[in-house]
Amino acid sequence: MTRSHAAEPAAEVDPDLAVLASPMFRVVRTVIASLGVLYAISTLFPMGGERPALLDTAFYLVVLIATALLALARPILVRRNRTAWAFVGGGVASWAAGDVYWQASFTGVDANAIPVPSPADVFYVGLYPLAYIGFILLARATVRRLPASVWLDGVVTSLAAGAMFSAFTLNDLLNADESKPFAATITNLAYPVGDLILMVVAVAALAMVRWRNDPVWWLAGLGAAAFTAADTGYLFGLSDNSYTDGSWPDGAWMIGLTLMALAGSMYRRRSIDEVRGFAALLVPILFSLCALVVLIVGTFVHLHPVTIVMASACLLAAGARTALTFEQTRELTRTRREAATDEISGLGNRRVLDSALPSMLEGLPPGATLPLTIVSVDHLREMNRILGYPAGDMILNTVGNRLQQALPPEAVAVRLGGAEIAILRTVSAGTPDSIARDTEFLLRALAAPVPAGPVPVQLELSAGVALAPMHAATSAELIRCAADALHEAKSSRSEVEIYDPGHRGDVGSHLLPDLLRAIEKDQFVVYYQPKVDLGTRRPVALEALLRWRHPVHGWIEPEVLQRLAVQVGLTRQLTRILLQTALERCAGWRRQGIELGVAADVSAADVLDSRLPYDVAKLVNKHSIPPSALTLEIAEDVMLIDARRTETALGQYRHFGVRLALDHYGRSAPSLARLRSMPVDELKLDPAFAAPMVNSPQDAVVIRSTVELARSLGITVVAEGVDSREMVDAVTLSGCAGVQGRLPGEPMSTDTLQQWLASQRPAADPHAPGRRHREQSHSGR
C-alpha cells in the first residue's frame, strides 16, 4: 500500500518587503550608502592643500539629495509601518532641504553676515520632532504591549544617556551669549536641546524593543548618535571659530543621515529575538553606573543643573527597576512552585515526575534499586458521585498529607491525575518481596478512615510497583511497567502487585508507541478470507482483515490490533486504511473479471462516526464498484447502543446500497427482538455460538430457530469458524447460506489469494449456477 505526501508549499515573501530585497533596490541602496561613506571619509583626511570646492558643493549636494530620496523611498514603496517611516524620512528630507537652502544662499558669505534664524534653521530643526515621532511609532509597532520593566529600562537608559551628553556639552552650549539677539539665542539653544532629546528618544526606543539584534534599530540609533555628535562638534567649532566647510562635523552629519536612510531600506528576512535574561538587565545596569559616575564627577566639577537632575532621576528610576525586578523574581518563584504542585493533594504534579525520574535513574548508585510505585484510590469516581467532589478532594488531600509524613525527605511523591499517585524512592538494599511488604505497610497507613462525609470513609487502595533497573532502564518504560502492575492489582483485587514481565494481561501496552508510528512506516497488510456459498460451494465474497507486521514481534492479528487501536485513538484511521485497500483490491479483481464482493469489519465507534458514510461513498465511487459489492461487518456490541442512533447511522449505508452484516452473533446472547429492528443483510454466527451444535441437538435447535428467524426477516446467515466437515454438514442442515473459516479457506495474502482465485475460477463467472441466486438473496431486504 503506497502513501503519498503532498509537497509543502514554498514560503511566500511579503510583497511589501519584496521590493526592498529586489536586486535593483539593493544596488541603488549600496551606491548611495557608499557615496555617503566616501564623503564622510574625505572629511577626515587632509588632501595636500586646499580641499576641492566641488567636493563640498556639487558632490555633497548630490549625495545629500540621493540620501533624502532613499529615506523617502521606504514609506512610498512599502505599506508596513508607513506612517512611522514617513516621519523618519521626512526628518531626513527636512534637514537635507535646509542644507540645500543654506548651500544655495550662504556659500561664500561671511559667517557674521548670515542671519540667525534663517529658513535653513527651520528645516534643520524640523528633523528633531519628525525623528522623535518616527522612532516612537516604530518602537510601538515592534512591541505592542510594554510591561513596566521595559518602560523603566527605557527611562533609566535614556536619562543616563542624556546626563552623559549634557555633562560634556551643556555648560558650554547652553550659556547664552547676551550680546546676541534673543531669536539667535533661542535658535542656537534649539540644536543642543534637540540633540539631547534625540539621544534620549533613540536610546529609549532601543530599550523599548529590548535591544534587539536588529540592523534596522541599530542603524537608526547610530544615525541619531552620529547626528548628535556632528551638531555638538559644529557648535563647539562656532564658539571657538574653528569650524570650516568640509571638516569632520560635515562627515558626521552625512553618516547620520545615511544610517537613518539605510535603516528604512533594510530587508529583514526573519524575526529577531529580543535580548532576555541577564543580558537584558546588563544594559540598564551599565547606564545606571554611568549616571552614578556623572554624579560623582559633579561633586568635583561644576556641571549644569540639567545634568545633575537627569543623573539623579536615572538613579531613582534604576532603584524602582531594582525593586520591580525583586518583586518579579519573588512572583516567578511562587509561580514555579505552584506550577510544580498539585493543588488538591498538595503533592508534586506530573512535571515533577518528568523532571525527577530521569535524573534519579542516571544517578542510581551501583546495587541500588529505584522503585516506582503508582497508588490508586479505588472507587474515587463513585465517591465523587455520591458524596460530591469536595469530599473527593478532601480524600486526596488527606492521602497526600499522610504520604508526605510517611515518606523520607528524599522521596518524590506526585499526583499523576485522577485517583493515581506516583512515588519515587531509592532503595539501597532490598528485594522485590521486601519492597512489596514496605508498600503494603504504606498503604495501610494511608488507608485509615477519612472524615469526608456523614461517616468516616474507609479507603481502598491498590498499588503497582516497577523496579529500575530490573524491569526498565528508561523513564517511559518504568512508568509503563508500574501502570501494568497497577492494572494487574486492580484486576486481581490484590493490594500490591510487583511488575512481572511473564504475566502480562494482554499483548498490550508495550506495543502502543510502535503502533503510533506504524502508519508512517506502512507496516499494515490486508489479508483476505473467503466466504463460501453452501449451495454452490464457491466463494461469493472475501473478508478483508488488517494485520500489523511488527518488525520485532511479527504478525499482530486483527482482534489484538483493534484492541490496541482503541487505546491510542487510531480506530478510525485503521478503518479507513482497511477500506481503502480492500476496495482498491476489489476494483482490481473486477477488472480481471473476478466479480467478488469484499467485506470489512467496523467497530461500534465507526458506526457512530458521522464522517464514515461519506468517506465510504467517496471510496466506492472513486473505484467505480457497485455499493452492494461492499459489506460492512458490524460488531455485535452495536446492539447495546441506543436503538434510534444505531438505526439512523446504519440507515445511511443502506440508503447508499452498502450491505451490512452483524458479526459475532451469539457471543453475548443479544436480544432477538432488537435484531428485528436492525437494518442488516447478513448475520454471522460466532464460532462459540455455532460450534456446539455438532455434538448437541439442543444447540442445533437453537441455531435452526435463529436461521429461520433471520430468513423470515430477509437476513442471510453465515457461520464463522468452520474447521471440519462435520461442522459444514451441521450448518448446512441448520439452513445457513454460507460458511467462513479454516476449512473453506484461511486468511491469505494478496499473492496467495491470486493463486487461490485462479483455482476457483468458475466461481468468478457471474452467470454460474447459484451465483445469481446469491446476488438476489444479498439484496433481499
Short mmCIF file of all heavy atoms in Angstrom, two decimals, residues 732-767:
data_model
loop_
_atom_site.label_atom_id
_atom_site.label_comp_id
_atom_site.label_asym_id
_atom_site.label_seq_id
_atom_site.Cartn_x
_atom_site.Cartn_y
_atom_site.Cartn_z
N THR A 732 -25.09 -26.79 7.30
CA THR A 732 -25.91 -26.97 6.11
C THR A 732 -27.31 -27.43 6.50
O THR A 732 -28.31 -26.92 5.98
CB THR A 732 -25.25 -27.99 5.17
OG1 THR A 732 -23.95 -27.54 4.81
CG2 THR A 732 -26.08 -28.16 3.89
N LEU A 733 -27.37 -28.38 7.44
CA LEU A 733 -28.67 -28.86 7.90
C LEU A 733 -29.46 -27.76 8.62
O LEU A 733 -30.70 -27.75 8.59
CB LEU A 733 -28.48 -30.06 8.82
CG LEU A 733 -28.00 -31.36 8.15
CD1 LEU A 733 -27.73 -32.43 9.20
CD2 LEU A 733 -29.04 -31.86 7.14
N SER A 734 -28.75 -26.86 9.27
CA SER A 734 -29.44 -25.80 10.00
C SER A 734 -30.03 -24.75 9.08
O SER A 734 -30.83 -23.93 9.51
CB SER A 734 -28.48 -25.13 10.98
OG SER A 734 -27.49 -24.37 10.28
N GLY A 735 -29.62 -24.75 7.81
CA GLY A 735 -30.17 -23.78 6.87
C GLY A 735 -29.27 -22.58 6.60
O GLY A 735 -29.69 -21.65 5.91
N CYS A 736 -28.04 -22.58 7.13
CA CYS A 736 -27.12 -21.46 6.86
C CYS A 736 -26.81 -21.37 5.37
O CYS A 736 -26.71 -22.39 4.67
CB CYS A 736 -25.83 -21.64 7.64
SG CYS A 736 -26.01 -21.46 9.42
N ALA A 737 -26.68 -20.15 4.88
CA ALA A 737 -26.41 -19.95 3.46
C ALA A 737 -24.94 -20.02 3.12
O ALA A 737 -24.57 -20.35 1.98
CB ALA A 737 -26.96 -18.60 3.01
N GLY A 738 -24.06 -19.71 4.07
CA GLY A 738 -22.63 -19.68 3.77
C GLY A 738 -21.80 -19.98 4.98
O GLY A 738 -22.30 -19.99 6.12
N VAL A 739 -20.54 -20.25 4.73
CA VAL A 739 -19.60 -20.55 5.81
C VAL A 739 -18.32 -19.78 5.59
O VAL A 739 -17.98 -19.38 4.47
CB VAL A 739 -19.31 -22.07 5.89
CG1 VAL A 739 -20.52 -22.85 6.32
CG2 VAL A 739 -18.77 -22.59 4.56
N GLN A 740 -17.58 -19.63 6.69
CA GLN A 740 -16.28 -18.96 6.66
C GLN A 740 -15.43 -19.57 7.75
O GLN A 740 -15.90 -19.80 8.87
CB GLN A 740 -16.44 -17.46 6.88
CG GLN A 740 -15.18 -16.65 6.70
CD GLN A 740 -15.44 -15.15 6.86
OE1 GLN A 740 -16.58 -14.72 6.93
NE2 GLN A 740 -14.38 -14.38 6.94
N GLY A 741 -14.18 -19.88 7.44
CA GLY A 741 -13.33 -20.47 8.45
C GLY A 741 -12.11 -21.15 7.84
O GLY A 741 -11.80 -20.99 6.64
N ARG A 742 -11.42 -21.93 8.66
CA ARG A 742 -10.18 -22.54 8.22
C ARG A 742 -10.40 -23.55 7.11
O ARG A 742 -9.59 -23.65 6.19
CB ARG A 742 -9.50 -23.22 9.42
CG ARG A 742 -8.09 -23.70 9.13
CD ARG A 742 -7.48 -24.34 10.35
NE ARG A 742 -8.23 -25.54 10.72
CZ ARG A 742 -8.00 -26.28 11.80
NH1 ARG A 742 -7.06 -25.88 12.67
NH2 ARG A 742 -8.70 -27.35 12.06
N LEU A 743 -11.51 -24.33 7.16
CA LEU A 743 -11.74 -25.34 6.14
C LEU A 743 -12.04 -24.71 4.78
O LEU A 743 -11.43 -25.08 3.77
CB LEU A 743 -12.88 -26.26 6.58
CG LEU A 743 -13.17 -27.43 5.63
CD1 LEU A 743 -11.97 -28.37 5.56
CD2 LEU A 743 -14.42 -28.20 6.09
N PRO A 744 -12.98 -23.77 4.68
CA PRO A 744 -13.21 -23.15 3.37
C PRO A 744 -12.00 -22.38 2.87
O PRO A 744 -11.72 -22.34 1.67
CB PRO A 744 -14.40 -22.21 3.62
CG PRO A 744 -15.03 -22.70 4.88
CD PRO A 744 -13.92 -23.29 5.69
N GLY A 745 -11.25 -21.78 3.74
CA GLY A 745 -10.07 -21.01 3.33
C GLY A 745 -9.60 -20.10 4.43
O GLY A 745 -10.39 -19.33 4.98
N GLU A 746 -8.31 -20.19 4.78
CA GLU A 746 -7.74 -19.33 5.80
C GLU A 746 -7.43 -17.95 5.22
O GLU A 746 -7.38 -17.78 3.99
CB GLU A 746 -6.48 -19.97 6.37
CG GLU A 746 -6.72 -21.25 7.13
CD GLU A 746 -5.46 -21.79 7.77
OE1 GLU A 746 -4.38 -21.32 7.38
OE2 GLU A 746 -5.57 -22.67 8.64
N PRO A 747 -7.20 -16.97 6.07
CA PRO A 747 -6.80 -15.65 5.55
C PRO A 747 -5.53 -15.75 4.71
O PRO A 747 -4.57 -16.43 5.08
CB PRO A 747 -6.57 -14.83 6.82
CG PRO A 747 -7.43 -15.49 7.85
CD PRO A 747 -7.39 -16.95 7.53
N MET A 748 -5.52 -15.08 3.58
CA MET A 748 -4.42 -15.18 2.62
C MET A 748 -3.90 -13.80 2.26
O MET A 748 -4.67 -12.83 2.22
CB MET A 748 -4.89 -15.91 1.35
CG MET A 748 -5.24 -17.37 1.55
SD MET A 748 -6.03 -18.08 0.09
CE MET A 748 -7.74 -17.68 0.42
N SER A 749 -2.62 -13.75 1.95
CA SER A 749 -2.04 -12.52 1.43
C SER A 749 -2.52 -12.31 0.00
O SER A 749 -3.13 -13.20 -0.62
CB SER A 749 -0.52 -12.60 1.47
OG SER A 749 -0.06 -13.61 0.60
N THR A 750 -2.22 -11.15 -0.54
CA THR A 750 -2.69 -10.84 -1.89
C THR A 750 -2.13 -11.82 -2.91
O THR A 750 -2.87 -12.30 -3.81
CB THR A 750 -2.27 -9.40 -2.26
OG1 THR A 750 -2.79 -8.51 -1.28
CG2 THR A 750 -2.80 -9.02 -3.62
N ASP A 751 -0.86 -12.15 -2.82
CA ASP A 751 -0.26 -13.08 -3.80
C ASP A 751 -0.86 -14.47 -3.68
O ASP A 751 -1.20 -15.11 -4.69
CB ASP A 751 1.26 -13.13 -3.59
CG ASP A 751 1.92 -11.81 -3.89
OD1 ASP A 751 1.32 -11.00 -4.64
OD2 ASP A 751 3.02 -11.55 -3.35
N THR A 752 -0.99 -14.97 -2.45
CA THR A 752 -1.57 -16.30 -2.25
C THR A 752 -3.02 -16.31 -2.71
O THR A 752 -3.49 -17.29 -3.30
CB THR A 752 -1.47 -16.70 -0.77
OG1 THR A 752 -0.13 -16.62 -0.35
CG2 THR A 752 -1.99 -18.11 -0.56
N LEU A 753 -3.75 -15.22 -2.43
CA LEU A 753 -5.15 -15.15 -2.84
C LEU A 753 -5.29 -15.21 -4.36
O LEU A 753 -6.22 -15.83 -4.88
CB LEU A 753 -5.76 -13.86 -2.30
CG LEU A 753 -7.21 -13.59 -2.70
CD1 LEU A 753 -8.13 -14.64 -2.09
CD2 LEU A 753 -7.64 -12.20 -2.27
N GLN A 754 -4.36 -14.59 -5.07
CA GLN A 754 -4.44 -14.60 -6.53
C GLN A 754 -4.36 -16.03 -7.05
O GLN A 754 -5.10 -16.41 -7.97
CB GLN A 754 -3.29 -13.74 -7.10
CG GLN A 754 -3.49 -13.30 -8.54
CD GLN A 754 -4.59 -12.25 -8.67
OE1 GLN A 754 -4.88 -11.52 -7.73
NE2 GLN A 754 -5.22 -12.21 -9.84
N GLN A 755 -3.46 -16.83 -6.49
CA GLN A 755 -3.35 -18.23 -6.90
C GLN A 755 -4.61 -19.00 -6.51
O GLN A 755 -5.10 -19.84 -7.28
CB GLN A 755 -2.12 -18.86 -6.26
CG GLN A 755 -0.81 -18.17 -6.63
CD GLN A 755 0.37 -18.72 -5.85
OE1 GLN A 755 0.24 -19.70 -5.11
NE2 GLN A 755 1.52 -18.09 -6.01
N TRP A 756 -5.14 -18.72 -5.33
CA TRP A 756 -6.34 -19.43 -4.88
C TRP A 756 -7.53 -19.11 -5.77
O TRP A 756 -8.32 -19.98 -6.12
CB TRP A 756 -6.62 -19.05 -3.43
CG TRP A 756 -7.71 -19.85 -2.78
CD1 TRP A 756 -7.59 -21.05 -2.16
CD2 TRP A 756 -9.08 -19.49 -2.70
NE1 TRP A 756 -8.80 -21.48 -1.68
CE2 TRP A 756 -9.75 -20.52 -2.00
CE3 TRP A 756 -9.82 -18.39 -3.14
CZ2 TRP A 756 -11.12 -20.50 -1.75
CZ3 TRP A 756 -11.19 -18.37 -2.89
CH2 TRP A 756 -11.83 -19.40 -2.20
N LEU A 757 -7.66 -17.84 -6.15
CA LEU A 757 -8.76 -17.45 -7.02
C LEU A 757 -8.65 -18.10 -8.39
O LEU A 757 -9.66 -18.45 -9.02
CB LEU A 757 -8.80 -15.92 -7.17
CG LEU A 757 -9.26 -15.13 -5.95
CD1 LEU A 757 -9.14 -13.64 -6.22
CD2 LEU A 757 -10.70 -15.48 -5.58
N ALA A 758 -7.40 -18.27 -8.85
CA ALA A 758 -7.22 -18.93 -10.15
C ALA A 758 -7.73 -20.36 -10.10
O ALA A 758 -8.32 -20.87 -11.07
CB ALA A 758 -5.75 -18.90 -10.54
N SER A 759 -7.55 -21.01 -8.95
CA SER A 759 -8.04 -22.39 -8.82
C SER A 759 -9.55 -22.44 -8.68
O SER A 759 -10.17 -23.49 -8.87
CB SER A 759 -7.38 -23.07 -7.62
OG SER A 759 -7.81 -22.46 -6.41
N GLN A 760 -10.15 -21.30 -8.30
CA GLN A 760 -11.60 -21.24 -8.12
C GLN A 760 -12.26 -20.46 -9.25
O GLN A 760 -13.34 -19.90 -9.08
CB GLN A 760 -11.92 -20.54 -6.79
CG GLN A 760 -11.30 -21.19 -5.57
CD GLN A 760 -11.94 -22.51 -5.25
OE1 GLN A 760 -13.15 -22.69 -5.40
NE2 GLN A 760 -11.13 -23.48 -4.82
N ARG A 761 -11.62 -20.41 -10.41
CA ARG A 761 -12.06 -19.53 -11.49
C ARG A 761 -13.53 -19.66 -11.86
O ARG A 761 -14.20 -18.66 -12.11
CB ARG A 761 -11.19 -19.78 -12.73
CG ARG A 761 -11.33 -18.73 -13.81
CD ARG A 761 -10.73 -17.42 -13.36
NE ARG A 761 -10.82 -16.39 -14.37
CZ ARG A 761 -10.31 -15.18 -14.26
NH1 ARG A 761 -9.63 -14.86 -13.19
NH2 ARG A 761 -10.46 -14.28 -15.21
N PRO A 762 -14.11 -20.86 -11.90
CA PRO A 762 -15.54 -20.93 -12.28
C PRO A 762 -16.44 -20.12 -11.37
O PRO A 762 -17.45 -19.61 -11.79
CB PRO A 762 -15.85 -22.43 -12.17
CG PRO A 762 -14.54 -23.10 -12.40
CD PRO A 762 -13.52 -22.20 -11.78
N ALA A 763 -15.99 -19.97 -10.11
CA ALA A 763 -16.83 -19.19 -9.19
C ALA A 763 -16.85 -17.72 -9.52
O ALA A 763 -17.72 -17.00 -9.09
CB ALA A 763 -16.33 -19.38 -7.76
N ALA A 764 -15.87 -17.28 -10.30
CA ALA A 764 -15.81 -15.86 -10.65
C ALA A 764 -16.78 -15.50 -11.76
O ALA A 764 -17.00 -14.35 -12.05
CB ALA A 764 -14.39 -15.48 -11.07
N ASP A 765 -17.35 -16.54 -12.43
CA ASP A 765 -18.28 -16.28 -13.53
C ASP A 765 -19.60 -15.78 -12.99
O ASP A 765 -20.27 -16.47 -12.22
CB ASP A 765 -18.48 -17.57 -14.33
CG ASP A 765 -19.36 -17.36 -15.55
OD1 ASP A 765 -19.80 -16.21 -15.81
OD2 ASP A 765 -19.62 -18.35 -16.24
N PRO A 766 -20.02 -14.60 -13.34
CA PRO A 766 -21.26 -14.08 -12.79
C PRO A 766 -22.49 -14.86 -13.21
O PRO A 766 -23.55 -14.71 -12.63
CB PRO A 766 -21.29 -12.63 -13.29
CG PRO A 766 -20.44 -12.64 -14.51
CD PRO A 766 -19.39 -13.66 -14.27
N HIS A 767 -22.37 -15.71 -14.27
CA HIS A 767 -23.53 -16.48 -14.75
C HIS A 767 -23.52 -17.89 -14.24
O HIS A 767 -24.33 -18.72 -14.67
CB HIS A 767 -23.54 -16.50 -16.28
CG HIS A 767 -23.52 -15.12 -16.89
ND1 HIS A 767 -24.60 -14.25 -16.79
CD2 HIS A 767 -22.55 -14.44 -17.56
CE1 HIS A 767 -24.31 -13.11 -17.42
NE2 HIS A 767 -23.07 -13.20 -17.87
#
